[in-house]
Amino acid sequence: MKSFLTEIKGRYGSGDYEGDQFGGARGHNGNGLPTGLPNNFMFATGIECSYPTIDNGKTRRDMLAECDHYNRYKEDLGLVKEMGLKVLRYGLPYYQIQQGPGKYDWEFADLAMAEMQRLEITPILDLMHFGLPDWLGNFQNPELVVHFADYCEQVAKRYPWVRYYTPVNEIYVTAKMSAKDGIWNEQLKSDKAFVTALKHCVAASIMGNQQIAKHRSDCIIVQSESAEFTHELRAEHTPAVQLENLLRFTSLDLLYAHHPEGEVLNYLYDNGLTRREYDWFMAGEPPGYQIMGNDYYGRNEKIMLPNGETVVSMDVLGWYNITRDYYLRYKKPVMHTETNVFDANEGPTWLWKQWVNILRMRKEGVPVLGFTWYSLIDQIDWDKGMATKTGTVNACGLFDLDRKPRPVADAYKMLLQEYGQITIVPHGELFEVTERPATLKVEV
């Protein structure tokens, strides 16, 4: 298989990546938060927009279609405004828009983006959410990197008013579900396929970020990634589970040029990552202001029992403890980018529990920049990872599929009323709100 570096060299004339090419901001050295928001803390929601394929590519799961957003986008965006929220995680349907090299269909995207602009909603624009256009195949394809970068550039040129982006949503989950768990897209179940998907997704995010920064040098990248952990209840821990608890960092290690542990590096080399590719990832961070978004659902924290059975732990460590591990590793400003619970009656309590986690993190001086209840409306079949199309409604939205409020909507409004004027971080003087391009404030 060709390396993604070969594709990059063929498109851009060089496979070299120097990092921070258009600036870059690390840790506490600037962030450039949105103007016009009260104290700039980003209270947000999101519209579920996943679009992987299942059934060996025969069936496309498009949550925007299944939840009727294409027909009701104005109503849905109006609900964001009605909630009093100014920030929205929003994913354009990439698989529909890029119809071939240099060929795009912007019809729906233009309508939705114009409505957001009219309502003065600040989008965190999600450019790839678990799926690809049919013509690109799947995440084993090294050409993905350059074609996705082209798409990112076109988005940045078409919507120059957008500053916030998530180039590739949940890179680790994308690679794992598609190439190791055998559920989505290529539906493979091998370590080699997982590493291939992982490196292609990270490289796509980096190159897409580069193209965005060419046109929006003050771009803010909110990298949404799942906050995972498995508790192994065995007197002697097994290497496989311990390796899994390290692999959860791998997407961000490669993205942020952080050298992983030796056993992880050996795993990557054993499963197809080349030394040249590794050196490319370690050359530096992507450009722009980087925010580490951590998604936390009780169901992505697990307990492995002595007999090998795995059960959902629901909030043993919680967002605070797991995200703190990520923060100490990367020292990035943090955002809680996704959370929900499938029982609508438990929604308000879960919302407050997440907020307690945020307040505790902020009390320790960690720069938490925002919070997201995900999603605006209920979802479908996420209780089974969209692996089969049964139409099960997951009652996790602020609103149901009839656009009637769930109890958590009132709880969120109460939270906004009480905390809507909080400062961005406990030590706000560490940050500079600026419209200038991102630059390193100190030599790293």
Side-chain angles (χ1 to χ4, degrees), residues 4 17 171 194-203 206 249-260 264-265 268 273-274 277-286 329-330:
F4 68 86
Y17 167 54
I171 293 171
F194 167 68
V195 171
T196 299
L198 187 75
K199 68 184 182 182
H200 289 167
C201 286
V202 177
I206 289 170
F249 295 118
T250 311
S251 59
L252 295 180
D253 283 350
L254 296 180
L255 186 69
Y256 294 146
H258 181 281
H259 292 283
V264 172
L265 188 55
L268 295 173
L273 184 74
T274 68
E277 289 170 340
Y278 179 73
D279 290 344
W280 185 86
F281 285 119
M282 293 300 114
E285 297 185 26
R329 190 177 183 93
Y330 304 111

Side-chain angles (χ1 to χ4, degrees), residues 120-245:
E120 298 183 326
I121 293 171
T122 298
I124 301 174
L125 210 55
D126 187 333
L127 299 183
M128 184 196 296
H129 205 112
F130 297 148
L132 298 173
D134 289 339
W135 62 274
L136 273 175
N138 56 52
F139 294 105
Q140 303 299 300
N141 183 359
E143 295 180 11
L144 155 67
V145 176
V146 293
H147 291 301
F148 178 70
D150 288 347
Y151 169 67
C152 291
E153 180 172 25
Q154 294 307 312
V155 171
K157 289 168 64 176
R158 195 170 189 88
Y159 309 113
W161 55 276
V162 175
R163 187 178 184 186
Y164 294 77
Y165 289 92
T166 301
V168 181
N169 175 71
E170 289 191 346
I171 293 171
Y172 174 77
V173 176
T174 300
K176 189 170 184 291
M177 294 284 279
S178 299
K180 195 169 185 180
D181 296 341
I183 295 173
W184 299 336
N185 305 305
E186 54 261 50
Q187 293 187 237
L188 297 175
K189 295 183 179 182
S190 77
D191 293 321
K192 186 175 180 61
F194 167 68
V195 171
T196 299
L198 187 75
K199 68 184 182 182
H200 289 167
C201 286
V202 177
S205 181
I206 289 170
M207 295 307 298
N209 192 161
Q210 292 277 35
Q211 299 310 305
I212 290 167
K214 282 170 55 179
H215 302 279
R216 187 77 203 237
S217 59
D218 64 347
C219 63
I220 297 170
I221 306 300
V222 182
Q223 183 53 54
S224 174
E225 188 56 275
S226 180
E228 305 262 338
F229 192 78
T230 299
H231 305 270
E232 186 178 15
L233 300 187
R234 289 168 168 153
E236 293 187 15
H237 289 169
T238 57
V241 177
Q242 298 314 299
L243 177 61
E244 182 180 341
N245 278 333

Side-chain angles (χ1 to χ4, degrees), residues 281-421:
F281 285 119
M282 293 300 114
E285 297 185 26
Y289 297 101
Q290 301 291 325
I291 295 173
M292 182 184 66
N294 287 89
D295 304 345
Y296 179 74
Y297 304 94
R299 52 193 180 271
N300 55 295
E301 184 180 352
K302 300 177 179 68
I303 297 174
M304 179 170 283
L305 304 179
N307 64 0
E309 180 185 356
T310 300
V311 297
V312 172
S313 72
M314 286 301 288
D315 212 24
V316 173
L317 293 177
W319 182 84
Y320 163 81
N321 286 298
I322 297 178
T323 298
R324 191 169 183 274
D325 287 344
Y326 284 80
Y327 174 73
L328 292 175
R329 190 177 183 93
Y330 304 111
K331 295 295 179 68
K332 298 290 184 193
V334 176
M335 181 171 178
H336 194 330
T337 34
E338 285 186 25
T339 196
N340 68 41
V341 64
F342 287 157
D343 187 332
N345 294 322
E346 295 179 3
T349 300
W350 186 259
L351 173 82
W352 292 114
K353 287 174 71 174
Q354 297 310 298
W355 188 245
V356 167
N357 277 256
I358 286 174
L359 293 179
R360 183 179 177 189
M361 188 82 86
R362 285 164 50 84
K363 187 176 181 179
E364 294 189 5
V366 176
V368 183
L369 309 187
F371 169 72
T372 313
W373 183 271
Y374 198 87
S375 51
L376 179 75
I377 55 177
D378 287 350
Q379 301 172 13
I380 295 175
D381 290 340
W382 258 109
D383 57 308
K384 57 185 76 65
M386 298 184 294
T388 56
K389 195 168 185 177
T390 59
T392 302
V393 176
N394 306 132
C396 58
L398 296 171
F399 297 84
D400 64 23
L401 293 181
D402 292 323
R403 277 54 176 181
K404 305 299 182 186
R406 294 281 189 192
V408 71
D410 288 335
Y412 203 174
K413 285 182 178 180
M414 187 189 305
L415 191 156
L416 290 169
Q417 184 175 6
E418 184 67 21
Y419 289 97
Q421 298 300 317

